[in-house]
Amino acid sequence: MNETRTVTVKLTEEVYQEIALRIPEGDRSTFIREAIAEKLQKTPKPDTLLALQQRMDNIEQEFGQIRKYLADLEILTFHHGKIDPHTFCLDEVDHKIMEYLLNYKSATTPELAEYLKTNRWLILNRLRKIQKISKKQVGKSIIEYYAGERSGKKKAWWIDEELIQE
């Protein structure tokens, strides 16, 4: 038999009276020991929960990588022309940004800031958020930043016309 340890337990008078009434005096230690063991069996071990959480995180990360690779290979279908870009907008500022991009196909951060009469950092953060949300939901970002020159614009954000509604 395993080595036993002595544990002192404080009980309310009501619980003690209930134990004294129901459990004979010689069996009380065994009863309490079995009750504790039963409760421990029902309670999940923290290391098991941690291991399961880590496995879930790894699976989600690997699934995200697989979606990214499929998107890069364009094997994953994006329902070309069927995505509403406004679904990735959180508020009115995002909707105005998206409207500008839909009308002009591209925009620099200063252009958007001037159009919306706000600062560049707010616009930049919103563009990054839209990019992140769309990449997470669709597997491919609906807007992209291109630092080089493209169609006469440098350092501009471009909307992916293949994915948007036509």
Side-chain angles (χ1 to χ4, degrees):
M1 187 171 164
N2 293 340
E3 184 180 335
T4 58
R5 301 279 180 171
T6 302
V7 177
T8 305
V9 179
K10 291 184 179 183
L11 301 172
T12 62
E13 183 64 30
E14 183 181 320
V15 173
Y16 178 76
Q17 291 299 327
E18 195 69 30
I19 289 175
L21 183 65
R22 293 185 183 194
I23 311 300
E25 193 165 325
D27 296 333
R28 290 181 189 158
S29 292
T30 306
F31 174 79
I32 292 170
R33 200 177 302 119
E34 289 173 356
I36 291 171
E38 183 179 325
K39 184 71 173 179
L40 285 173
Q41 286 177 346
K42 292 180 180 178
T43 305
K45 295 180 180 178
D47 57 337
T48 306
L49 288 175
L50 183 62
L52 287 173
Q53 182 65 36
Q54 289 174 343
R55 285 182 62 195
M56 285 294 294
D57 290 343
N58 288 341
I59 289 170
E60 287 175 356
Q61 187 176 20
E62 289 173 5
F63 182 71
Q65 287 178 341
I66 290 170
R67 285 185 71 179
K68 179 183 174 281
Y69 295 144
L70 290 175
D72 289 344
L73 296 172
E74 294 186 8
I75 294 174
L76 187 62
T77 58
F78 293 110
H79 308 290
H80 291 284
K82 295 185 180 178
I83 295 175
D84 180 14
H86 288 280
T87 58
F88 309 111
C89 300
L90 301 176
D91 63 1
E92 193 61 34
V93 173
D94 291 352
H95 285 289
K96 287 179 181 178
I97 290 171
M98 196 55 67
E99 279 301 319
Y100 190 92
L101 287 172
L102 288 170
N103 287 337
Y104 297 102
K105 307 301 180 209
S106 68
T108 62
T109 310
E111 286 175 353
L112 286 167
E114 185 180 322
Y115 174 73
L116 295 172
K117 295 176 181 44
T118 186
N119 65 30
R120 291 182 305 121
W121 291 107
L122 175 71
I123 301 298
L124 180 62
N125 290 335
R126 295 301 179 92
L127 287 165
R128 286 180 178 161
K129 193 177 290 186
I130 292 170
Q131 184 180 35
K132 183 179 175 183
I133 291 171
S134 65
K135 188 166 190 160
K136 186 176 182 180
Q137 289 181 5
V138 180
K140 190 173 181 182
S141 180
I142 199 155
I143 60 172
E144 65 174 332
Y145 177 74
Y146 186 70
E149 188 170 341
R150 183 164 142 188
S151 297
K153 283 196 177 181
K154 290 183 182 177
K155 298 181 180 179
W157 288 86
W158 296 82
I159 192 153
D160 189 343
E161 295 178 0
E162 293 179 350
L163 300 178
I164 61 173
Q165 287 181 338
E166 294 173 352

